[in-house]
Amino acid sequence: MALRFLLLASCSLVAMASAGNLYQDFDITWGDGRAKILNSGQLLTLSLDKASGSGFQSKNEYLFGKIDMQIKLVPGNSAGTVTAYYLSSQGPTHDEIDFEFLGNLSGDPYTLHTNVFAQGKGNREMQFKLWFDPTKDFHTYSILWNPRHIIFMVDGTPIRDFKNLESRGIAFPKNQPMRIYSSLWNAEDWATRGGLVKTDWTKAPFVASYTNFNANACVKASGRSSCGPAKSGWWNQELDSASHARMRWVHKNYMIYNYCNDVKRFPQGLPPECSIA
Ligand SMILES: *[C@@H]1O[C@H](CO)[C@@H](O)[C@H](O)[C@H]1NC(C)=O
């Protein structure tokens, strides 16, 4: 009984669905007025000019969830700019789940860069083109994070499935709550064509927009009891055969880079998860 009480008391997670008001879910963290929440909390914009970028972070820390955000990326010549949208915990052995959008010249495709860090170790980059122009309209970028999978999705199409392979000795993010962070910043040294194309400041300010945030997630909140009610839907979700087929379509047609194919980069052998289907 005493043990049971202790376990309950130490697990300060509460299941929560959140939708709608960006004021409720996020704090603007930097940019000196360049980041704005507008339309009574329905829209958030980040902007970047020569002096500074800008960013925001979630008020909550999450430990597992299905987290959706609609983003419209910097239109026109966005070369040199990076819009980062990611989950991260704190500290030297942090966990992290990344979406990063690398801008490009007008008419050239954005690169969607993804990565997963577990206990401080990343080096798991996969990059994609998109099958639409991400600057014309809002599109939904989702992270489905449960104890067995981290699935990256774009408009509901899975593009990446990072599996829990702890049984094979590979770390998986599952103990450290993460906040959501996003920023728009200048990365002209490397972002576009490896740094060959620089930011054109005559096109500033550059603006990225966010709307329709939805988190069906476990939220860390002191004093609350458990994550129990969240254990439905996304908690047990994994890719069915139709979703696998969609992901294969993305990998075949839109994948630009996969660390698991980069033999030169890992002369001692590819990371172990690469040889486990
Ligand atoms: C930008 O466009 C060029 C030309 O199509 C392409 O090679 C590159 O991968 C694109 N993305 C970035 C981030 O440079």
Side-chain angles (χ1 to χ4, degrees):
M1 192 62 205
L3 179 63
R4 186 152 172 245
F5 174 77
L6 264 178
L7 286 173
L8 286 173
S10 64
C11 178
S12 59
L13 291 164
V14 59
M16 223 182 81
S18 152
N21 194 314
L22 296 163
Y23 282 115
Q24 263 161 33
D25 292 305
F26 296 102
D27 288 319
I28 303 288
T29 42
W30 63 285
D32 201 16
R34 289 175 182 79
K36 295 189 180 89
I37 298 179
L38 306 161
N39 302 359
S40 3
Q42 299 307 298
L43 179 71
L44 188 156
T45 58
L46 292 184
S47 93
L48 162 71
D49 57 42
K50 202 164 187 181
S52 179
S54 53
F56 65 89
Q57 70 181 44
S58 62
K59 293 187 199 279
N60 287 321
E61 291 180 282
Y62 303 92
L63 186 59
F64 304 121
K66 164 82 159 48
I67 297 173
D68 309 321
M69 179 71 96
Q70 295 195 331
I71 309 176
K72 186 157 76 174
L73 296 168
V74 173
N77 179 0
S78 58
T81 72
V82 171
T83 304
Y85 172 74
Y86 59 103
L87 270 73
S88 182
S89 65
Q90 302 284 321
T93 58
H94 79 295
D95 297 330
E96 190 175 313
I97 303 170
D98 291 329
F99 277 116
E100 274 187 63
F101 301 90
L102 316 185
N104 219 331
L105 293 167
S106 302
D108 281 345
Y110 259 79
T111 294
L112 168 51
H113 172 100
T114 65
N115 203 356
V116 176
F117 285 71
Q119 291 170 19
K121 186 188 166 297
N123 298 328
R124 297 193 175 99
E125 296 84 359
M126 287 190 189
Q127 295 184 338
F128 306 86
K129 286 182 292 185
L130 294 163
W131 48 96
F132 51 82
D133 179 348
T135 73
K136 285 272 185 298
D137 298 294
F138 285 97
H139 290 271
T140 307
Y141 302 93
S142 308
I143 290 163
L144 179 101
W145 174 29
N146 67 30
R148 296 201 295 146
H149 295 267
I150 294 169
I151 300 172
F152 294 73
M153 287 182 279
V154 176
D155 290 335
T157 294
I159 61 167
R160 178 170 188 176
D161 180 8
F162 183 77
K163 299 190 182 76
N164 184 334
L165 296 169
E166 285 180 305
S167 61
R168 314 288 276 265
I170 298 156
F172 184 84
K174 63 157 201 223
N175 295 318
Q176 309 187 72
M178 301 200 235
R179 253 182 239 287
I180 300 166
Y181 298 87
S182 188
S183 55
L184 173 56
W185 50 289
N186 177 34
E188 63 184 354
D189 291 346
W190 58 269
T192 308
R193 296 196 191 187
L196 291 176
V197 183
K198 303 296 182 194
T199 306
D200 179 358
W201 294 113
T202 67
K203 302 292 189 302
F206 302 98
V207 177
S209 309
Y210 300 75
T211 191
N212 286 333
F213 172 70
N214 189 71
N216 203 328
C218 304
V219 174
K220 191 185 166 202
S222 52
R224 299 304 183 85
S225 58
S226 82
C227 201
K231 291 179 184 178
S232 64
W234 60 267
W235 182 269
N236 290 308
Q237 199 174 327
E238 51 187 13
L239 298 182
D240 59 15
S241 57
S243 309
H244 264 294
R246 288 290 287 169
M247 192 166 76
R248 276 196 302 275
W249 171 79
V250 173
H251 287 194
K252 180 160 179 275
N253 297 293
Y254 297 97
M255 185 179 260
I256 302 170
Y257 177 81
N258 181 353
Y259 74 111
C260 280
N261 296 333
D262 198 344
V263 183
K264 278 206 201 97
R265 181 177 170 194
F266 300 102
Q268 324 289 11
L270 292 169
E273 67 271 20
C274 295
S275 51
I276 305 168

